Amino acid sequence: MSVTLKAASAALSRFDDAAPSHLRNLTTATLYEHALRRGEGKAAAEGPLVVKTGEHTGRSAKDKFIVRRPENADAIWWDNNSPMAPDAFQRLYDDMLAHARNLELYAQDLCGGADPEHQIKVRVFTEFAWHSLFIQHLLVRPPLDQRGAGEPDFIIVDLPSFEANPERHGCRSKTVIAIDFERRFVLIGGTSYAGEIKKSVFTILNYLLPPQGVMPMHCSANVGKANDPAIFFGLSGTGKTTLSADPARTLIGDDEHGWGPNGLFNFEGGCYAKMIRLSPDAEPEIYATTKRFGTVLENVVMDERTRILDLNDATLAENSRGAYPIDFIPNASAEGRTGHPKNVIMLTCDAFGVMPPIARLTPEQAMYMFLSGYTAKVAGTEKGLGREPQATFSACFGAPFMPRHPSVYGALLGEQIERRGASCWLVSTGWAGGPFGVGERMPIKATRALLAAALDGSLNDAAMEKDPVFGFEIPRSAPGVDARLLRPRDGWRSQADYDAQAGKLARMFAENFEAFAPFVSDDVRKAAPKA
């Protein structure tokens, strides 16, 4: 690194001075007391801590920056990541440090990554007690008596009350998320959305792990009794958390993982689930966390008198969230690790209504779909999105968190699929019978039934037919699932309208993939949909 460890340690010690010993590595109960006493949140009837994030109810993707230095100039995907000059970062650091001197900061010593061989130590300074509780839930928690031992690998400073100055700090607005890989610092200001902290750790691991031969993934993971791990790629709102929380399978994690020589490992120690319209019937394990002491609920509406939650009320945000330790899910893995996946599932929330509920992919089609990252952004997951889903292509199903070029991650996926012989599937949790506004959302019971058949291997023996536009194989029938649902064209009132929509989406795929075509083999290019 261009900045010596001694200099980095000196920078760290300055923020250490703002975090007194009595505010370090506090437990859940103590952080509850602090958050309630400081008026940061309120206790719900059955125990959760309910907080509001104010203006920012989702990530501020356009306010995220990476410090550009000679050491990383050729490694960062600058078409997707906004650069910040080193001197601008220094001014931001100085001003946030001055701001912190008027505060008492909470500090947590945590880890990113459940595999000890690829784990990083992270010290997180937060202005809010509930942010400290949030990140304690979401990252890997060393035993209390081991917290703070040795120097952290990265430092994150989170000050919601600090407002950046675009002219002085080289950013876009009063909100800023700035990462300096060489100084090993992340500075977050001007937003109360706690998800920025955990996604900063994900971005760090996405930068550090590929040179070590480990593929970082925006995915959930679980494993069955037959030792058959599965990973579920997908953006927010596509079903990663919901579908991986299966009572018949052990949950490894719900959002971020690495795939390395030793198999799969969770980056986190908790879950960050969408709460809006959560169903006790369809998602019982996640629903149960809304009745637990320790769960942090963001922007969930609560009756002020009775303290009863209303999970169906989107008044505060469509992107209401719940953060809780992974052991709140009864069948979660305590180790956060498992073997190599037998199945790779790519989730899409298809707003066009032309994708089938499940399709089998060749390895080349899987590579194409992975680099394309087609889905629909669900309202509220990012600042500025409206109430309706918006079709989008997000490379690797997580472009906002990818500091390196997608071809780096795509190559790692291709190598792993080839080496491990994993089966690949595309699963749509979007609309059927027409596009958004006309059709209906895919029934979750049908999705679960099809996934179960894919994961236990029975779907491999089903009769398949090739989709003429997208080229993947669709099962002709599946137990308990309406055949018209399996073949999207049959569910539309007008098949001519379906053909037009499918052709439109195929052309969007082709246009989007032009940027990646030079980085892949001819076989992957030929896996493109045919308009």
Side-chain angles (χ1 to χ4, degrees), residues 16 47 80 92 131 193 223 228 256 323 327 336 386 444 456-458 467 477 495 528:
D16 271 332
N80 184 66
L92 179 64
H131 276 199
Y193 182 67
V223 59
D228 55 351
E256 303 165 3
D327 59 17
I444 192 169
D456 69 18
S458 60
D467 186 278
S477 63
Q495 294 188 339

Side-chain angles (χ1 to χ4, degrees), residues 4 68 85 99 105 107 166 233 242 256 287 306 316 385 394 410 413 427 446-447 472 504 508 512 522:
T4 66
R68 181 167 184 153
H99 187 80
L105 301 185
F233 286 106
T242 297
E256 303 165 3
Y287 184 84
T306 65
L316 295 177
L385 287 180
S394 183
L413 178 66
V427 172
T447 302
F472 41 52
K504 176 182 178 181
M508 291 175 67
N512 172 76
D522 190 52

Side-chain angles (χ1 to χ4, degrees), residues 4 22 29 147-148 187 195 198 213 240-241 281 295-296 306 314 318 324 346 351 408 449 483 502:
T4 66
H22 70 279
R147 300 273 190 95
L187 301 175
K198 91 175 198 95
K240 290 195 317 300
T241 299
D281 298 322
T295 296
V296 178
T306 65
E318 183 73 23
Y324 47 88
M346 298 183 186
V408 174

